[in-house]
Amino acid sequence: QVLLVESGGGLVQAGGSLRLSCTASGRSFRSGAMGWFRQAPGKEREFVASMKGGSTPYADSVKGRFTISRDNAKNTVYLQMNSLKPEDTAVYYCAAGMSLITASLRNGAAYAHWGQGTQVTVTS
């Protein structure tokens, strides 16, 4: 059974930083995709960033502020979030999958495994 566990969320003032972590157990995603999505209250889930091989797409809204990275030895993906804005407030979900092609990295439906989510709240 695959399990994704996120950590690192919290409350931060605008302009601050947070680092999210997501560790997978049950199988290795070394050759697969790991990424982050978020869902704000009353809104649909949206893509944030993902990594597979040399591909690291970002949502336009976070480009230049967020950085995704992976430690394949630890089966862990990170999301460093800088210059946070109130509109970044959301539950952040880690996602992982093995059967994604580069063109589908932004598509949440393409990921087979999801974490439980971690709350990020940015105050103004």
Side-chain angles (χ1 to χ4, degrees), residues 1-119:
Q1 180 182 357
V2 174
L3 187 64
L4 303 180
V5 179
E6 302 107 332
S7 62
L11 179 68
V12 64
Q13 288 188 331
S17 298
L18 284 174
R19 188 194 194 207
L20 305 183
S21 299
C22 170
T23 298
S25 60
R27 74 158 300 158
S28 170
F29 290 97
R30 180 182 296 269
S31 61
M34 296 188 78
W36 294 93
F37 290 75
R38 67 186 182 186
Q39 187 167 20
K43 295 187 176 181
E44 293 187 353
R45 183 182 64 192
E46 65 175 359
F47 169 77
V48 176
S50 182
M51 287 189 76
K52 181 181 179 182
S55 296
T56 54
Y58 289 90
D60 288 343
S61 59
V62 308
K63 202 172 295 184
R65 300 188 297 122
F66 291 11
T67 302
I68 189 171
S69 61
R70 291 175 64 164
D71 184 337
N72 286 328
K74 296 181 179 180
N75 220 16
T76 297
V77 63
Y78 305 95
L79 186 68
Q80 178 66 44
M81 305 186 294
N82 299 329
S83 302
L84 282 161
K85 305 175 181 180
E87 50 264 43
D88 294 318
T89 295
V91 177
Y92 283 70
Y93 296 91
C94 174
M98 293 301 297
S99 303
L100 286 85
I101 59 175
T102 300
S104 63
L105 290 178
R106 298 173 182 266
N107 181 4
Y111 292 80
H113 308 286
W114 292 84
Q116 82 287 352
T118 186
Q119 177 70 47

